[in-house]
Amino acid sequence: MKIRRLTTYHAAPRWLFLKIETDEGITGWGEPVVEGRARTVEAAVHELGDYLVGQDPARINDLWQTLYRGGFYRGGPVLMSAIAGIDQALWDIKGKALGVPVYQLLGGLVRDRMKTYRWVGGDRPAELVEQIRGYRAQGFDTFKFNGTEEMRLVDSPRAIDAALAKVAAVRDAFGDSVDFGIDFHGRVGAPMARVLLRELEPYRPLFVEEPVLPEQAEYYPQLAAASAIPLAAGERMYSRFEFKRVLQGGGLAILQPDLSHAGGISECLKIAAMAEAHDVALAPHCPLGPVALAACLQVDFVSHNAMLQEQSIGIHYNQGADLLDYVANREDFACEDGCIRALPLPGLGVEIDEERLRHAHANPPDWRNPVWRHADGSVAEW
């Protein structure tokens, strides 16, 4: 079998799909994208395609190393996201060629179902109780929401009180019948992270995500030593080498690599194993589309330390399309009591509605994340 062609589809809400075709008629799908930089990653995919056309898609390890090590300059969000989507598609082809789900090729299941959580509250956390109440009726009991809006490096007690009031309202409304993670989203600097973590402890969040920006990872062990709340991070780390340094430094209880940013299935399996060796849990980041989620689930179902899976049904970014809109086998992604069972189909387990995707590709949006500013006019972290 030889790789014949790579085709990309840019589609709402902010996704990029990759189709890799072979000369034997087997196709694989991937999702190589950086949110807000879809066209940049698309260009990288087609540049890397020169290494792929005419090659045997079954040699995933060799092709991955060629894509990574074949360039003198490597790593970073764009190149690693391009490699990630290609890697997903190659695993999809291999599973389809052999007639088994990818998780079977990786040693088989370690669990029967994977627990997921729902996003609530949007970019500026609001209406948390109302949204959680609606999702509780659908069987979900685990959620995540943003912890703050803009926050200055050293901010006033009023900013802290506003953040705490939203968390308190959730705990008051639902008691211990729900679990929730709080995403600081890199909006909080180290001085205020210490304060917020201390004040949030009585509400017992499941975790706090990106307590500081990944550039400030040296603060993870200090913050962890000062708080009982488990800390999570990883969506803006792109290779096992970045995760290696963070794991060596300590402080994180949960790693959150993104299967569409951190080199795909091949790389994230290694990251998951590294985390397990450090007694750190795995909760893959995935606010993206169905191929990205399917790839995450393949890793979840073979990783003993996988604890939670993010998924984007109804997430506030999904304007113009939702998670399963381009999926033909939607029933396989059904959530029962907040859990998804192992996808049964060969490969990644997702059948893409290519006709609908092609139609969406004709007029895709160029999504960009908002640019926020503080009251004094300086740029704030979004």
Side-chain angles (χ1 to χ4, degrees):
M1 193 189 310
K2 302 295 181 186
I3 295 172
R4 182 167 166 263
R5 180 165 55 227
L6 286 75
T7 306
T8 47
Y9 298 95
H10 186 190
R14 53 178 190 163
W15 301 338
L16 183 72
F17 293 84
L18 167 66
K19 178 185 178 183
I20 296 183
E21 298 174 74
T22 69
D23 60 358
E24 294 187 10
I26 299 175
T27 62
W29 288 91
E31 221 176 297
V33 68
V34 172
E35 299 92 307
R37 295 289 180 265
R39 296 190 187 278
T40 309
V41 179
E42 185 175 30
V45 167
H46 289 291
E47 286 181 346
L48 292 173
D50 294 341
Y51 294 98
L52 298 170
V53 174
Q55 300 301 311
D56 179 1
R59 297 190 61 174
I60 299 174
N61 288 329
D62 181 63
L63 291 174
W64 197 100
Q65 296 294 342
T66 300
L67 298 176
Y68 182 78
R69 300 184 189 278
F72 183 77
Y73 297 99
R74 60 190 67 160
V78 173
L79 289 175
M80 292 305 287
S81 296
I83 291 173
I86 292 168
D87 181 81
Q88 293 166 4
L90 294 177
W91 279 106
D92 197 25
I93 289 169
K94 183 180 278 285
K96 289 173 179 175
L98 298 175
V100 295
V102 168
Y103 57 75
Q104 295 290 18
L105 303 177
L106 304 177
L109 302 175
V110 298
R111 56 180 49 84
D112 299 319
R113 57 184 190 165
M114 187 64 205
K115 191 171 185 62
T116 71
Y117 63 83
R118 294 292 295 259
W119 255 101
V120 292
D123 271 347
R124 298 183 181 278
E127 299 179 350
L128 298 174
V129 171
E130 294 82 355
Q131 291 183 37
I132 289 173
R133 185 169 285 118
Y135 290 138
R136 287 281 287 142
Q138 298 175 26
F140 290 91
D141 64 3
T142 307
F143 306 90
K144 186 172 78 175
F145 49 85
N146 282 313
T148 73
E149 300 187 23
E150 298 94 332
M151 182 160 282
R152 292 174 296 174
L153 191 60
V154 176
D155 216 322
S156 75
R158 292 185 300 278
I160 298 294
D161 289 345
L164 293 176
K166 292 180 171 61
V167 178
V170 171
R171 193 55 86 198
D172 289 345
F174 300 102
D176 62 1
S177 68
V178 302
D179 294 316
F180 53 82
I182 302 173
D183 192 353
F184 283 10
H185 214 254
R187 298 171 183 174
V188 182
M192 302 314 294
R194 286 191 179 91
V195 177
L196 270 172
L197 288 170
R198 183 188 65 220
E199 298 291 339
L200 285 168
E201 278 195 16
Y203 303 106
R204 303 178 70 185
L206 198 59
F207 59 87
V208 164
E209 181 172 329
E210 281 202 330
V212 291
L213 286 163
E215 301 94 290
Q216 311 296 342
E218 65 271 18
Y219 287 105
Y220 292 154
Q222 297 176 34
L223 294 172
S227 175
I229 301 172
L231 303 182
E235 68 187 76
R236 289 189 270 190
M237 302 176 198
Y238 308 109
S239 74
R240 79 197 89 145
F241 306 109
E242 290 177 75
F243 282 97
K244 174 184 73 170
R245 288 187 283 272
V246 168
L247 287 168
Q248 287 174 339
L252 293 183
I254 304 168
L255 287 195
Q256 299 172 306
D258 190 306
L259 271 286
S260 280
H261 299 330
I265 291 171
S266 297
E267 186 75 345
C268 287
L269 280 169
K270 297 180 175 74
I271 293 167
M274 291 167 60
E276 184 179 3
H278 286 80
D279 216 17
V280 170
L282 180 75
H285 180 255
C286 191
L288 291 169
V291 181
L293 176 58
C296 287
L297 290 168
Q298 302 300 325
V299 173
D300 290 330
F301 277 104
V302 300
S303 300
H304 186 266
N305 56 331
M307 59 164 287
L308 269 178
Q309 180 56 60
E310 182 174 23
Q311 46 88 19
S312 72
I313 294 176
I315 198 170
H316 50 286
Y317 304 120
N318 289 357
Q319 302 295 318
D322 210 343
L323 176 66
L324 302 179
D325 284 358
Y326 305 117
V327 175
N329 60 320
R330 299 181 185 187
E331 64 282 355
D332 290 339
F333 289 83
C335 284
E336 301 174 8
D337 296 326
C339 297
I340 299 177
R341 294 197 172 273
L343 302 176
L345 294 181
L348 293 180
V350 57
E351 289 185 351
I352 295 297
D353 184 342
E354 192 170 355
E355 181 178 353
R356 182 163 187 174
L357 185 59
R358 193 179 293 113
H359 178 75
H361 177 67
N363 187 32
D366 279 318
W367 185 86
R368 295 287 186 272
N369 63 252
V371 176
W372 286 3
R373 292 186 181 271
H374 293 296
D376 64 2
S378 60
V379 174
E381 293 287 346
W382 167 75

